Amino acid sequence: MITRTRIAVLLATMATAGGMAFAPAAQADEPAPTTRELLDKCDNGTDSCVFHPDGPATDSMGEAHQVGDSAYNCTQDLQRSSIAWADTTGESNSVGVSLSAEYGFAEVFKVSIETSYGHTWESSHTETDTTNVDVRPGEVGWVTRESQMQRVTGTYELHFPDRFHGHYIWYVPFDATGPKPDAPSTKTQHTRPMTEQEKAEHCG
């Protein structure tokens, strides 16, 4: 999460490097707002609240993880097991809250993504499928899935009608990662020999 100190440093940096006008600094005894306090004011006490993406979204693959049950072959023949599974991929961000809400900074973020990139932001995506795995005698098979993800970084620019913690304008860095819309995931079949404990538990 972005700390108060980083927000203050960013303000000072922008004021120096960008030549932007700011209100006089807040009194030393006035506490700086947290990132969440600032973002909760987005369209809820501000004259304007805009999210500025840093650039194109960055694509990546999510962590591979098992989906569905494991298939244990306790026979003497090769078995084809059909593993049914359902898996949900969620989002994460620097504030630690869901962007599925339709208000405030979440709505500003999603509108900006749609305007900048031409597609909607997905807070979660659920995929359901059945995958066949060929499991040799004495082995266990399973399926892993990797989702295609997108990461967006940028800055919220908030303008207040009155000074908020000593400033009319605040800049809040923000980043979020979520499932890439309409992108297929990668499914992989795996097998390995069962351990003695697994043989005892599943094969009797």
Side-chain angles (χ1 to χ4, degrees), residues 5-70:
T5 302
R6 287 182 62 190
I7 294 174
V9 169
L10 179 68
L11 261 174
T13 302
M14 287 185 171
T16 301
M20 295 183 179
F22 289 88
Q27 297 297 320
D29 58 353
E30 184 175 1
T34 64
T35 297
R36 182 63 190 273
E37 286 173 333
L38 283 167
L39 292 182
D40 280 344
K41 287 294 184 179
C42 182
D43 286 348
N44 182 35
T46 59
D47 286 333
S48 67
C49 178
V50 180
F51 180 73
H52 303 288
D54 288 338
T58 302
D59 294 341
S60 64
M61 297 301 295
E63 183 178 355
H65 57 282
Q66 181 175 346
V67 293
D69 296 329
S70 299

Side-chain angles (χ1 to χ4, degrees), residues 57 59 89 113-114 117-125 147-152 177-185:
D59 294 341
T89 304
I113 296 304
E114 187 168 359
Y117 306 132
H119 61 71
T120 59
W121 175 264
E122 285 196 351
S123 293
S124 67
H125 177 75
S147 300
Q148 292 193 50
M149 308 293 287
Q150 62 174 344
R151 180 172 182 259
V152 176
T177 301
K180 188 175 180 180
D182 303 320
S185 61

Side-chain angles (χ1 to χ4, degrees), residues 74-97:
C74 298
T75 74
Q76 298 301 312
D77 302 311
L78 178 70
Q79 285 191 338
R80 170 163 290 185
S81 298
S82 297
I83 299 177
W85 53 268
D87 189 48
T88 299
T89 304
E91 67 184 0
S92 62
N93 57 68
S94 54
V95 181
V97 298

